[in-house]
């Protein structure tokens, strides 16, 4: 597979997941601001912007100014807003049409073209109109990708990007709650933002406290949005991409080594100690995701040419030119 196509599929997976997760997080926050009069809109908005890595403005924030920044902003070069993420995913898909299915392209293109209309509807009816649309289209795209792509390297790169983005977003959610009381209602917000509330209640029979929420979001082996599940999924697809996942001395690629180490640290962590040094552990996970992304770029996306002529850029002397 061409490196540019592999990179495009990887970033399609990341950007669609980013749009979906951002819409989920913002939707829960908007409902919280509307339903709970005791919540400070400015403080809550700044907390969310910090989670998403968006620079907050100096002016006071409310529900609509927060929605403008997180959902509708088009000037964010990093694609942190929902519109920015969908635009970036569509642009990557447009350049990799030969390795994406027609259904996937039509889903992304239709979603992108409907954003302006959905934004106008949201300003009349409320942000949920726009956010639920994005969540539904992201779910549709994931379903179309799963049902129309062969399980080849292209599919693996896309799932790898999706899994790494999911790890990063879950870690950001938990980082925002470090230091909160064990019984704080903010932990319910974490679960709802990740779409984990119902599954958590079924798993723990309704008992809610910080330790169990963090344990569920970090270590659960069955919930698809937990950090451990996503790391294991990313590691599995990276092993398949490598074809020769291990040699006699262990992992043969830097990205594999980083993923395996990160997954092992979580896998053998004592559940009762999950809150100990939580902030440093989460920051370490975030750093690992960043390093894995950089290693993947070097290993597969060829940011630097593999072959460089030794005399590139050197003028050929006249004597040598005449001799040839």
């Amino acid at each position: 597979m061409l490196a540019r196509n592999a990179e495009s599929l990887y970033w399609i997976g990341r950007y669609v997941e980013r749009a979906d997760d951002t819409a989920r997080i913002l939707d829960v926050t908007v409902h919280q601001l509307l339903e709970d009069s005791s919540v400070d809109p400015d403080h809550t908005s700044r907390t969310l912007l910090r989670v998403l890595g968006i620079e907050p403005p100096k002016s006071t924030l409310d529900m609509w100014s927060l929605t403008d920044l997180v959902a509708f902003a088009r000037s964010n070069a990093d694609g942190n807003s929902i519109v920015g993420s969908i635009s970036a995913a569509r642009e990557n898909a447009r350049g990799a049409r030969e390795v994406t299915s027609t259904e996937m392209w039509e889903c992304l293109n239709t979603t992108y073209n409907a954003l302006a209309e959905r934004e106008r509807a949201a300003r009349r009816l409320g942000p949920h109109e726009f956010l639920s649309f994005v969540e539904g289209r992201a779910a549709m795209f994931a379903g179309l990708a799963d049902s129309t792509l062969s399980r080849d390297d292209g599919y693996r790169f896309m799932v790898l990007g999706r899994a790494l983005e999911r790890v990063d977003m879950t870690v950001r959610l938990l980082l925002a709650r470090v230091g909160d009381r064990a019984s704080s209602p903010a932990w319910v917000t974490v679960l709802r933002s990740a779409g984990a509330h119902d599954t958590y209640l079924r798993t723990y029979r309704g008992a809610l406290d910080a330790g169990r929420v963090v344990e569920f979001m970090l270590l659960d082996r069955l919930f698809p949005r937990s950090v451990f599940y996503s790391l294991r999924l990313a590691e599995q697809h990276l092993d398949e991409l490598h074809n020769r996942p291990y040699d006699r001395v262990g992992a043969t690629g830097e990205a594999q080594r980083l993923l395996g180490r990160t997954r092992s640290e979580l896998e053998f962590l004592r559940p009762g100690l999950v809150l100990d040094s939580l902030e440093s552990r989460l920051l370490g996970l975030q750093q690992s995701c960043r390093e894995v992304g950089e290693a993947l770029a070097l290993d597969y996306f060829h940011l630097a040419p593999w072959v460089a002529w030794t005399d590139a850029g050197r003028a050929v002397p006249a004597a040598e030119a005449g001799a040839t």
Side-chain angles (χ1 to χ4, degrees):
M1 171 174 284
L2 292 175
R4 65 174 178 82
N5 286 336
E7 185 174 20
S8 292
L9 287 165
Y10 170 80
W11 282 107
I12 289 169
R14 291 204 70 151
Y15 280 127
V16 172
E17 181 66 26
R18 187 176 301 176
D20 183 25
D21 291 346
T22 304
R24 289 171 179 273
I25 295 169
L26 181 58
D27 202 11
V28 171
T29 303
V30 166
H31 276 84
Q32 185 183 19
L33 292 175
L34 290 173
E35 295 172 358
D36 190 349
S37 59
S38 65
V39 173
D40 178 16
D42 184 67
H43 178 266
T44 302
S45 299
R46 291 181 185 279
T47 299
L48 176 56
L49 293 177
R50 187 171 67 250
V51 168
L52 298 176
I54 299 174
E55 186 68 26
K58 295 181 180 179
S59 57
T60 303
L61 293 167
D62 57 15
M63 183 192 74
W64 279 112
S65 57
L66 174 67
T67 303
D68 285 337
L69 284 170
V70 176
F72 304 142
R74 288 173 168 79
S75 59
N76 196 326
D78 295 329
N80 286 339
S81 73
I82 294 172
V83 169
S85 296
I86 293 174
S87 301
R90 175 184 177 270
E91 191 62 25
N92 277 280
R94 191 169 66 88
R97 286 288 289 111
E98 65 268 31
V99 291
T100 57
S101 66
T102 300
E103 292 83 358
M104 290 168 59
W105 163 249
E106 288 178 349
C107 178
L108 277 178
N109 194 44
T110 302
T111 303
Y112 173 81
N113 289 326
L115 290 177
E117 179 187 347
R118 292 290 174 165
E119 180 180 342
R120 289 192 294 269
R123 295 192 184 280
R124 295 195 314 271
L125 304 172
H128 179 71
E129 178 74 17
F130 179 86
L131 301 174
S132 61
F133 169 74
V134 172
E135 292 172 35
R137 298 299 292 188
M140 178 185 292
F141 179 83
L144 288 171
D146 286 344
S147 61
T148 62
L149 282 185
S150 297
R151 278 11 181 204
D152 55 9
D153 285 354
Y155 178 81
R156 295 183 185 108
F157 275 115
M158 192 180 67
V159 174
L160 180 58
R162 181 198 301 167
L164 288 176
E165 187 68 28
R166 191 168 286 180
V167 170
D168 184 66
M169 293 297 281
T170 302
V171 167
R172 287 173 183 270
L173 267 177
L174 293 173
L175 268 172
R177 301 272 67 93
V178 169
D180 284 6
R181 301 189 319 274
S183 58
S184 171
W187 294 107
V188 178
T189 303
V190 170
L191 292 172
R192 287 178 174 163
S193 297
H197 188 244
D198 293 339
T199 306
Y200 173 89
L201 293 179
R202 285 193 293 269
T203 302
Y204 290 101
R205 300 293 188 268
L208 183 69
D209 66 73
R212 287 181 172 178
V213 171
V214 174
E215 178 181 296
F216 184 77
M217 295 304 300
L218 280 183
L219 305 179
D220 194 87
R221 284 158 169 73
L222 301 180
F223 183 62
R225 290 185 178 274
S226 77
V227 170
F228 178 82
Y229 186 99
S230 299
L231 284 172
R232 188 168 58 180
L233 182 66
E235 189 179 17
Q236 171 193 335
H237 283 82
L238 187 56
D239 289 348
E240 292 173 359
L241 279 169
H242 205 65
N243 291 327
R244 199 166 50 85
Y246 299 99
D247 62 13
R248 294 178 64 173
V249 295
T252 56
E254 179 66 10
Q256 282 178 298
R257 186 186 67 80
L258 290 167
L259 270 177
R261 184 190 67 187
T262 305
R263 187 260 310 151
S264 296
E265 289 174 354
L266 282 183
E267 186 171 13
F268 300 106
L269 178 68
R270 290 181 182 273
L273 303 178
V274 71
L275 289 180
D276 294 350
S277 305
L278 178 60
E279 184 174 11
S280 61
R281 182 173 293 113
L282 293 174
L283 290 173
L285 284 168
Q286 202 169 38
Q287 178 64 24
S288 294
C289 283
R290 190 177 301 113
E291 291 174 354
V292 169
E294 293 170 356
L296 286 171
L298 291 174
D299 288 345
Y300 293 102
F301 305 149
H302 304 189
L303 293 183
W306 289 108
V307 177
W309 297 104
T310 56
D311 61 349
R314 181 174 67 87
V316 180
E320 291 183 21
T324 58

